[in-house]
């Protein structure tokens, strides 16, 4: 099992409520490309944040630059970039995603990623997230999705 699979197994065993977006979602929607990390939007509940804090402690996770993560900085409206023993994980807040978590979750499909079950955002939500971000990588991803699927869902 890869590092990605181990991260997902740990998220699942800690009962963290999340939906995958980013590179892994791109791959699951038919675009083969490299990704260096896991990007996930997490449910903004206090219970879920407590589970994330517990996992950060268990992993002894740091920020990607190696600096410590203050547990009180992990909150429902805060995005956090983590370096775990298994690889990098970006946990995106609902606020940053711009799509209510409940919508992402309701429209997601559970697929296996490196042996671990994980909710993957819908194609429509992935397209909306990429359009909203608008970075060069996101625009290239939209072009690749269009090649894979034809016309993309409207905003």
């Amino acid at each position: 099992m890869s590092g990605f699979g181990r991260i997902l197994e740990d998220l699942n065993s800690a009962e963290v409520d999340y939906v995958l977006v980013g590179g892994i979602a791109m791959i699951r929607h038919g675009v083969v490309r490299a990704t260096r990390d896991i990007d996930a939007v997490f449910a903004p509940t206090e219970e879920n944040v407590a589970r994330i804090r517990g996992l950060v402690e268990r992993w002894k996770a740091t920020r990607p630059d190696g600096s410590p993560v203050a547990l009180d900085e992990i909150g429902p409206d805060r995005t956090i970039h983590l370096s775990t023993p298994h690889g990098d994980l970006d946990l995106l807040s609902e606020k940053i995603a711009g799509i209510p978590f409940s919508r992402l979750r309701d429209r997601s499909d559970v697929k296996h990623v490196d042996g671990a079950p994980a909710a993957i955002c819908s194609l429509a939500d992935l397209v909306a997230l990429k359009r909203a971000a608008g970075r060069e990588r996101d625009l290239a991803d939209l072009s690749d999705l269009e090649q894979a699927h034809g016309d993309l869902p409207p905003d």
Side-chain angles (χ1 to χ4, degrees):
M1 177 174 285
S2 75
F4 286 170
R6 287 185 181 96
I7 290 170
L8 296 172
E9 273 191 341
D10 287 351
L11 287 168
N12 293 341
S13 68
E15 299 181 356
V16 173
D17 196 6
Y18 66 92
V19 175
L20 296 181
V21 298
I24 291 176
M26 289 289 297
I27 293 165
R28 286 314 216 166
H29 286 292
V31 175
V32 178
R33 75 163 174 89
T35 186
R36 298 182 325 247
D37 61 7
I38 292 178
D39 299 302
V41 178
F42 65 93
T45 65
E46 288 301 328
E47 297 83 11
N48 204 44
V49 169
R51 292 180 195 120
I52 292 168
R53 287 179 183 141
L55 196 50
V56 167
E57 282 186 305
R58 188 174 118 210
W59 278 331
K60 295 181 175 66
T62 64
R63 296 187 183 285
D65 67 3
S67 63
V69 176
L71 295 180
D72 63 348
E73 292 178 1
I74 302 171
D77 291 329
R78 303 196 69 178
T79 290
I80 185 146
H81 308 285
L82 299 170
S83 182
T84 80
H86 311 301
D88 289 344
L89 171 64
D90 289 342
L91 290 171
L92 310 172
S93 70
E94 175 184 73
K95 183 177 179 179
I96 291 294
I99 298 173
F101 181 80
S102 60
R103 176 178 140 185
L104 279 173
R105 185 68 155 139
D106 289 348
R107 294 167 43 130
S108 70
D109 286 316
V110 175
K111 304 283 185 188
H112 278 80
V113 177
D114 292 340
I120 310 283
C121 71
S122 70
L123 177 61
D125 289 336
L126 180 59
V127 167
L129 290 165
K130 294 291 182 182
R131 285 180 177 146
R135 300 169 301 181
E136 189 174 328
R137 174 76 256 172
D138 298 302
L139 299 176
D141 285 344
L142 286 168
S143 177
D144 291 342
L145 285 168
E146 192 168 34
Q147 286 179 1
H149 295 276
D151 290 337
L152 295 178
D155 287 337

